[in-house]
Amino acid sequence: MKPYLAGATPILPVLVLTLFFAAASAMAAEDEGGCAPRYRALVEAARVELRGTGDTEVLIVTDPLCWHCRLGHKLVGEYPDLYGRVKVLFLPGRSFLGSDMAAWVIEDVAGTDRLKPLLDFAYRDLRQPKVSDLDEARMLILAQFTAAFPDMLEGTTLPDLFLRLAKEHGPRVAAGAELARAAQLPGTPILIAGDTIVMGYGPEAWLEALAAKSVCP
């Protein structure tokens, strides 16, 4: 099995993508694909987890506002028999201003029965704020969540919730994103299933990687 596969949908402009796959091919010769320590560190850092009915462990590096990530999220939801658990690591894209707030909100409900509805909302209904100020974009993202889930504001206010999420989850999400960059992952989505890494989204490539049921030693 090839440890590095390209999804049908690219995640970078053509020139940069070409250079990246050349680098990825070189790295594949040097390590163990998705089982290499740099990638296992990402699995350990990921706090959000979804359960399936299969046996294997999968990691998705993702951004809720990335369209191709949304397609990947939908596919994973449709094939729970192909994995035992999916761990989610957020890599907020610089072009998706405010998406780190979505990651903070999702991380806040990790391990609870509120995770799936908020996660699905993020990957299905969130709209990209049309602003250039980071904190304004974050507030607009949070406002969309609280409009859909009013109970988020029980006992608090929107500004106070903003500050709490930033304090409790901002550093961890940023640290996970930095790990992803240190592992030379250039963007989202990326699927790591055993020793296979799929760069970008393509349904056939993702299904092939999941169906292989590869596991790391």
Side-chain angles (χ1 to χ4, degrees):
M1 181 188 302
K2 295 181 180 179
Y4 289 85
L5 299 175
T9 304
I11 56 175
L12 296 174
V14 174
L15 176 59
V16 178
L17 188 62
T18 300
L19 294 173
F20 171 71
F21 283 128
S25 296
M27 287 190 297
E30 298 172 0
D31 61 31
E32 307 166 87
C35 298
R38 76 182 86 175
Y39 304 123
R40 300 312 299 167
L42 301 181
V43 175
E44 294 302 318
R47 182 167 182 264
V48 174
E49 181 179 312
L50 302 173
R51 300 297 301 185
T53 58
D55 301 315
T56 58
E57 178 182 79
V58 176
L59 174 73
I60 299 176
V61 182
T62 182
D63 183 317
L65 293 179
C66 153
W67 175 248
H68 301 144
C69 299
R70 291 183 169 198
L71 294 175
H73 176 77
K74 183 174 184 293
L75 180 142
V76 166
E78 292 173 347
Y79 293 92
D81 57 312
L82 295 182
Y83 55 86
R85 65 174 180 170
V86 171
K87 301 198 75 176
V88 178
L89 184 78
F90 295 105
L91 178 56
R94 293 180 177 89
S95 60
F96 301 118
L97 206 62
S99 67
D100 55 354
M101 172 58 79
W104 301 348
V105 170
I106 295 166
E107 294 241 339
D108 196 52
V109 296
T112 74
D113 58 5
R114 301 180 65 198
L115 173 61
K116 189 176 187 307
L118 268 72
L119 189 67
D120 288 344
F121 174 81
Y123 281 84
R124 184 186 62 232
D125 300 314
L126 269 187
R127 299 183 304 279
Q128 171 74 60
K130 297 180 180 180
V131 296
S132 58
D133 181 79
L134 177 57
D135 279 338
E136 184 180 0
R138 288 168 170 167
M139 183 62 81
L140 289 170
I141 290 289
L142 182 58
Q144 292 181 60
F145 274 106
T146 57
F149 303 94
D151 60 318
M152 289 177 62
L153 289 176
E154 288 183 4
T156 189
T157 65
L158 194 63
D160 286 345
L161 179 59
F162 181 110
L163 293 175
R164 182 181 70 77
L165 292 171
K167 179 180 179 181
E168 294 183 6
H169 304 290
R172 180 171 52 245
V173 170
E178 188 56 37
L179 276 177
R181 295 187 187 100
Q184 301 181 7
L185 301 186
T188 57
I190 293 173
L191 174 73
I192 301 177
D195 63 357
T196 302
I197 303 176
V198 185
M199 304 289 185
Y201 173 76
E204 291 183 2
W206 278 45
L207 288 172
E208 178 184 346
L210 292 171
K213 300 185 183 299
S214 171
V215 296
C216 294

